[in-house]
Amino acid sequence: MTLIPKSIASYTVYFYKIQYKIMYFIGIIFISIFTLTALSMASNSSIIFFIFVIVMIAFHMMTFNYMKSNILILADEVKEVENGLFIRNGKVSETIDYGNIQSVTYRYLFSIKNNVVELTFKNPTTLGNKARFISWADSSNYNKEFTLNPYTKTPETQAWINKLKEKINEHSKP
């Protein structure tokens, strides 16, 4: 059996968040350059120009809001403590009691291109209603090197989730 590190969450999430911010900035620069170029060329049909610019801005906002809802919610650190989980996302951190966890799901997210563990809370916390993280085993493709199916889940993360569900059931009983 493989030893799980102190933090079940992968440390590579930091790079996903930096990549999102860089891509957002590049998107704004691209829209600005395109708008200035099109403005100088479209002196006759200004209505078509404005419609096209509005469509581009709307597309940019929809795309990056979708990415934001999937990437910036990823927790940087998840550790087991005595009666719950310590979760840190950026500068916000909180210890979540096992009794406050409503459900645990483990699924593939296409926008991240990796399996993600999602914790949904019964009561809202400073982290929000849910927290997501990529496990260390999924980020390093541990024991999945020769698997062609990206949806393959790692047995280490699945075993951790099963133990977590048992602890949640123990704490939710009256």
Side-chain angles (χ1 to χ4, degrees), residues 63-123:
T63 303
F64 282 96
N65 281 336
Y66 175 75
M67 288 176 59
K68 178 180 174 183
S69 67
N70 286 319
I71 293 175
L72 296 184
I73 193 175
L74 291 173
D76 300 325
E77 183 177 14
V78 177
K79 292 181 182 179
E80 286 191 60
V81 292
E82 188 174 328
N83 291 327
L85 296 173
F86 172 78
I87 302 173
R88 183 178 59 81
N89 185 358
K91 295 180 181 178
V92 179
S93 62
E94 187 170 350
T95 301
I96 307 295
D97 188 34
Y98 288 126
N100 192 21
I101 300 174
Q102 182 176 356
S103 65
V104 181
T105 57
Y106 182 39
R107 62 190 171 98
Y108 184 82
L109 275 182
F110 180 74
S111 59
I112 300 173
K113 294 181 180 60
N114 212 330
N115 291 317
V116 174
V117 178
E118 181 177 280
L119 305 169
T120 306
F121 307 127
K122 293 177 184 174
N123 303 315

Side-chain angles (χ1 to χ4, degrees), residues 35-172:
T35 303
L36 293 174
T37 305
L39 184 59
S40 66
M41 296 169 68
S43 58
N44 306 6
S45 56
S46 60
I47 289 181
I48 294 173
F49 165 74
F50 285 118
I51 290 173
F52 192 71
V53 169
I54 289 171
V55 168
M56 279 190 60
I57 291 172
F59 177 74
H60 177 72
M61 288 175 57
M62 287 187 317
T63 303
F64 282 96
N65 281 336
Y66 175 75
M67 288 176 59
K68 178 180 174 183
S69 67
N70 286 319
I71 293 175
L72 296 184
I73 193 175
L74 291 173
D76 300 325
E77 183 177 14
V78 177
K79 292 181 182 179
E80 286 191 60
V81 292
E82 188 174 328
N83 291 327
L85 296 173
F86 172 78
I87 302 173
R88 183 178 59 81
N89 185 358
K91 295 180 181 178
V92 179
S93 62
E94 187 170 350
T95 301
I96 307 295
D97 188 34
Y98 288 126
N100 192 21
I101 300 174
Q102 182 176 356
S103 65
V104 181
T105 57
Y106 182 39
R107 62 190 171 98
Y108 184 82
L109 275 182
F110 180 74
S111 59
I112 300 173
K113 294 181 180 60
N114 212 330
N115 291 317
V116 174
V117 178
E118 181 177 280
L119 305 169
T120 306
F121 307 127
K122 293 177 184 174
N123 303 315
T125 65
T126 55
L127 298 166
N129 291 334
K130 58 177 82 170
R132 291 182 184 149
F133 66 91
I134 300 171
S135 74
W136 64 272
D138 286 316
S139 70
S140 65
N141 289 331
Y142 186 77
N143 283 340
K144 293 193 324 183
E145 289 87 5
F146 300 109
T147 303
L148 296 176
N149 184 4
Y151 300 101
T152 304
K153 297 175 180 174
T154 57
E156 290 77 16
T157 305
Q158 194 65 52
W160 182 84
I161 289 172
N162 293 337
K163 285 195 304 186
L164 180 64
K165 287 181 179 179
E166 289 174 10
K167 291 178 183 179
I168 292 169
N169 289 336
E170 289 174 11
H171 287 298
S172 64

